[in-house]
Amino acid sequence: MAAGAASGGSARADTYKDARGWLLLPSWAVLGIFVLGPVCMMLVYSFLTKEFRGGVIWEFSLAAYDQFFFDRGLFGDEPPAIEWTYITIFWRSIWQAGAATLLSLLIGFPTAYFIATRPENARPMWVFLITIPYWVNLLIRTVSMKFLLRDQGPLNDFLIGTGLIDSPIHIVNTNFAVQLGLFYSYLPFMVLPVYAAVERYNFSLSEAAADLYASKWTTLRRIVLPAVKPGVVAGCILVFVPSMGSFLAPDLLGGAKNFMIGSLIEEQFKGNAGNWPFGAAASMVLLTMVLIILMFSARQQAKADKAGG
């Protein structure tokens, strides 16, 4: 009888596993078609030959990666030298994304902390206010930001009207404008994970630290930040990764002198003059860099958890 019951339980478990597999099938199909499919297509395209009217010729070639990393002269007959043009664009993308992430953290952490310390029935309204601007298309918001920052825009008109400046401050087509655009585009991606972490924080720990005469700075640095670190790390990743590949803010707010890797990739797929294999190769370089950063972050987090445990 016991053996029959065990057999029946095993059969039910197998049936449950089969049903779960079938229920997950649509999710796996969506991931395969809309996530892995495009990545695999870009990987294949990066090893093909450029078609001069746009598109690719199905012949294996490493020319796209060679073009990204090496300079062989105008006619391709010189000894290879390091191609600093694209490496500089890549480096600019990294530090622009890093600056936007740091700015988002400096503004987003106090904002999230403020929301998490409001009365429980008021928190949804504050979160709602944070997300309202992002119901509008990103392109419209970026164009609005350009209108606000331009030389004859509302910001300069206000500063001149109040007598703080005598002539307009040139902000558009600068690195600062790009950083502002990236910050504005992805700020909620920092606020929401940090808010979720702070909301779960046990504030009695801060009260205990105050009872032991710890300063507010010491409490923040030694107790609060380690407790909410997962939310901070998640927010930094969610801001840094899309900022790296962004092209709207650099194109509209930065101009030609502030080109980023996303803009470079976009240019290769526009019109009939683009270089699809080179754009795909640049995409693969960007993806590889992002994966390295994510793996490094995960490894450091695992080490920290192991040390804490």
Side-chain angles (χ1 to χ4, degrees), residues 260-276:
M260 288 176 60
I261 189 70
S263 305
L264 176 66
I265 295 170
E266 180 216 6
E267 286 290 327
Q268 307 310 312
F269 292 96
K270 282 178 21 177
N272 294 326
N275 187 338
W276 288 19

Side-chain angles (χ1 to χ4, degrees), residues 107-135:
I107 302 298
F109 185 89
T111 302
Y113 192 91
F114 172 81
I115 296 174
T117 53
R118 297 308 91 195
E120 189 171 351
N121 60 349
R123 295 173 194 170
M125 178 57 67
W126 285 103
V127 173
F128 177 73
L129 292 175
I130 288 290
T131 58
I132 276 182
Y134 299 88
W135 296 3

Side-chain angles (χ1 to χ4, degrees), residues 29-166:
V30 169
L31 287 174
I33 295 172
F34 297 107
V35 178
L36 294 179
V39 172
C40 293
M41 184 174 67
M42 287 295 100
L43 179 63
V44 172
Y45 275 22
S46 69
F47 290 104
L48 298 180
T49 303
K50 171 187 175 182
E51 214 286 325
F52 288 96
R53 293 170 296 178
V56 296
I57 299 173
W58 289 85
E59 295 177 0
F60 177 81
S61 174
L62 293 174
Y65 290 98
D66 184 84
Q67 178 182 349
F68 191 93
F69 291 107
F70 300 106
D71 179 12
R72 298 180 182 273
L74 182 61
F75 299 102
D77 54 353
E78 298 180 12
I82 296 177
E83 177 55 88
W84 291 107
T85 302
Y86 303 122
I87 295 176
T88 301
I89 292 174
F90 208 94
W91 170 246
R92 184 185 300 123
S93 303
I94 293 175
W95 83 259
Q96 288 276 36
T101 303
L102 179 60
L103 184 59
S104 297
L105 179 60
L106 292 176
I107 302 298
F109 185 89
T111 302
Y113 192 91
F114 172 81
I115 296 174
T117 53
R118 297 308 91 195
E120 189 171 351
N121 60 349
R123 295 173 194 170
M125 178 57 67
W126 285 103
V127 173
F128 177 73
L129 292 175
I130 288 290
T131 58
I132 276 182
Y134 299 88
W135 296 3
V136 180
N137 183 271
L138 178 59
L139 175 61
I140 297 174
R141 288 189 280 116
T142 307
V143 172
S144 301
M145 175 70 74
K146 183 175 183 178
F147 172 78
L148 178 68
L149 299 177
R150 66 179 183 168
D151 292 354
Q152 291 78 34
L155 177 61
N156 275 305
D157 288 346
F158 172 77
L159 294 176
I160 293 174
T162 55
L164 295 176
I165 58 175
D166 297 324

Side-chain angles (χ1 to χ4, degrees), residues 15 59 90 138 148 171 193 207 225 231 237 243 290 305:
T15 302
E59 295 177 0
F90 208 94
L138 178 59
L148 178 68
I171 301 177
E207 296 173 1
L225 283 179
I237 291 174
S243 295
V290 169
D305 294 341

